[in-house]
Amino acid sequence: MARNKIALIGSGMIGGTLAHLAGIKDLGDVVLFDIAQGTPQGKALDIAESAPVDGFDGAFSGANDYAAIEGADVCIVTAGVPRKPGMSRDDLLGTNLKVMEQVGAGIAKYAPDAFVICITNPLDAMVWALQKFSGLPKNKVVGMAGVLDSSRFRHFLASEFKVSVADVTAFVLGGHGDTMVPLKRYSTVAGIPLTDLVKMGWCTQERLEEIIQRTRDGGAEIVGLLGNGSAYYAPAASAIAMAEAYLKDRKRVLPCAAALNGEYGLSDMYVGVPCVIGEGGVERVIEIDLVDDEQSQFDKSVESVKGLMEACRGIAPNLR
Ligand code: A3D
């Protein structure tokens, strides 16, 4: 049986890390694509030269021509520009929308059967545009943000409570931005909701709110520390978890930016919701009941995503 083929569209900081992780996890053959000459080829060769040490068999190649992604099973898209200190994700919209148009055409031509995971920011608007530009089925085009946001939340909670990250689950809804909605009721330590942990005296409500705010600002915190570029290790690990769920039909329940078709009262848009990811791509969107402040926070997040979609339509009228 042939190995799976994973195409990485964009070979910058996240693209290179994705390639390395795909190798170490033996997910298949990897093609790195980029418009920058030499970058994908150099990263592919460097990783291939680590394979004898780490003992993986996947083939690695780099390309500047979309023909190289032909027949890919998974495409992970990071092409575009990242944030610089002081910039919001939304400031990237004009540049990255044009990139999504090129990427969508490339995937439509050479990898129309792929499962496509978009990472390029502003995420919820870019994945929506990428699905339209590519014309691929909506269940096969998904955005990565919720796995990362939840992972950040889990890390902060585990270090606050001094417990293993393995025993902390976290649930984050909504758009990937300052309006994301970390849900206290559905985030737990070994099944005990955060709301109960506050009652049990594990931390105060105020401290929990600080951790939630740090989660919302998690991307900006890294941008500020790096001073040049944005996070890449955790974003790459998160997208690889999604790719693995698809390739191995794991039916994992992961928060993803998914196309909504009536769920949560919304359609023709992408926003972060819990999904089942398996061989069918997004096999199910899980609709949970939101209470009081959760619903109002989710609505605010949805409005901000809709604003970005409107800005995209202003630039690319063919998105209507
Ligand atoms: P970076 O290291 O700059 O890599 C981007 C790559 O895209 C570069 O190698 C460029 O040459 C390449 N590129 C630019 N234009 C094109 C094009 N038209 N076709 C093909 N390749 C092109 O950035 P990065 O890897 O750090 O980040 C990539 C994207 O991910 C940015 O938009 C970030 O904002 C975004 N990001 C998203 C998250 C989420 O959680 C959603 C987290 C972190 C970063």
Side-chain angles (χ1 to χ4, degrees), residues 4 13 55 76 86 93 106 111 117 161 166 168 188 205 214 241 244 247 274 305 313 317:
N4 287 314
M13 299 309 290
I76 308 182
L93 187 137
I117 302 168
F161 296 141
V168 180
T188 74
Q205 187 62 39
R214 189 173 179 198
E244 216 172 357
L247 291 169
V305 174
R313 288 192 184 101

Side-chain angles (χ1 to χ4, degrees), residues 9-16 33-36 39 43 66 77-83 89 92 95-96 98-100 102-103 118-124 126 143-146 148-149 152 176 219 229-232 235:
I9 306 188
S11 305
M13 299 309 290
I14 302 178
F33 170 90
D34 205 287
I35 49 166
T39 304
K43 290 195 179 186
Y66 274 103
V77 178
T78 59
V81 288
R83 283 195 276 177
R89 294 177 181 91
L92 309 172
T95 308
N96 287 350
K98 291 189 191 89
V99 175
M100 290 306 102
Q102 295 165 15
V103 174
C118 181
I119 307 185
T120 302
N121 271 321
L123 190 269
D124 305 86
M126 290 303 104
M144 186 298 293
L148 170 65
D149 296 331
R152 285 180 172 149
H176 179 59
S230 53
Y232 49 98

Side-chain angles (χ1 to χ4, degrees), residues 8-315:
L8 306 175
I9 306 188
S11 305
M13 299 309 290
I14 302 178
T17 312
L18 285 167
H20 195 203
L21 285 175
I24 287 171
K25 291 183 169 244
D26 240 335
L27 293 188
D29 294 340
V30 176
V31 175
L32 288 124
F33 170 90
D34 205 287
I35 49 166
Q37 305 281 324
T39 304
Q41 293 84 354
K43 290 195 179 186
L45 181 59
D46 192 9
I47 294 169
E49 288 170 355
S50 77
V53 181
D54 280 320
F56 54 85
D57 297 313
F60 282 74
S61 59
N64 304 111
D65 186 334
Y66 274 103
I69 74 163
E70 183 151 27
D73 300 290
V74 169
C75 294
I76 308 182
V77 178
T78 59
V81 288
R83 283 195 276 177
K84 295 197 171 68
M87 282 174 101
S88 86
R89 294 177 181 91
D90 305 355
D91 295 333
L92 309 172
L93 187 137
T95 308
N96 287 350
L97 184 64
K98 291 189 191 89
V99 175
M100 290 306 102
E101 190 158 14
Q102 295 165 15
V103 174
I107 292 176
K109 185 163 180 196
Y110 292 107
D113 297 323
F115 180 55
V116 178
I117 302 168
C118 181
I119 307 185
T120 302
N121 271 321
L123 190 269
D124 305 86
M126 290 303 104
V127 64
W128 168 79
L130 182 63
Q131 188 277 324
K132 288 199 182 288
F133 287 137
S134 68
L136 264 63
K138 289 182 177 169
N139 62 314
K140 298 291 284 292
V141 182
V142 70
M144 186 298 293
V147 177
L148 170 65
D149 296 331
S150 306
S151 185
R152 285 180 172 149
F153 196 20
R154 287 172 66 192
H155 163 68
F156 297 145
L157 291 168
S159 51
E160 175 71 16
F161 296 141
K162 299 187 176 49
V163 297
S164 165
V165 287
D167 297 318
V168 180
T169 62
F171 201 125
V172 175
L173 273 184
H176 179 59
D178 308 335
T179 57
M180 74 178 81
V181 190
L183 287 190
K184 290 170 256 191
R185 278 188 310 138
Y186 288 121
S187 303
T188 74
V189 173
I192 309 166
L194 294 181
T195 38
D196 288 3
L197 291 171
V198 170
K199 285 185 206 144
M200 288 156 62
W202 279 42
C203 78
T204 61
Q205 187 62 39
E206 292 69 40
R207 180 67 189 131
L208 183 55
E209 294 304 331
E210 278 170 22
I211 293 171
I212 288 174
Q213 194 53 44
R214 189 173 179 198
T215 304
R216 287 201 183 99
D217 297 337
E221 184 175 359
I222 305 264
V223 168
L225 288 167
L226 293 178
N228 178 23
S230 53
Y232 49 98
Y233 292 113
S238 304
I240 289 290
M242 293 166 68
E244 216 172 357
Y246 172 75
L247 291 169
K248 298 185 179 170
D249 190 24
R250 292 194 66 192
K251 316 248 182 252
R252 288 209 55 198
V253 180
L254 297 171
C256 306
L260 297 183
N261 187 23
E263 300 89 351
Y264 295 91
L266 301 165
S267 25
D268 191 27
M269 72 175 295
Y270 275 75
V271 74
V273 288
C275 301
V276 177
I277 307 282
E279 63 176 348
V282 177
E283 297 184 350
R284 191 159 125 203
V285 169
I286 301 172
E287 214 175 341
I288 56 161
D289 281 336
L290 297 175
V291 296
D292 319 324
D293 60 325
E294 294 166 354
Q295 184 68 53
S296 58
Q297 287 179 35
F298 184 67
D299 291 346
K300 200 171 144 205
S301 190
V302 165
E303 280 318 303
S304 116
V305 174
K306 283 185 176 168
L308 293 173
M309 289 163 58
E310 213 34 55
C312 289
R313 288 192 184 101
I315 299 169

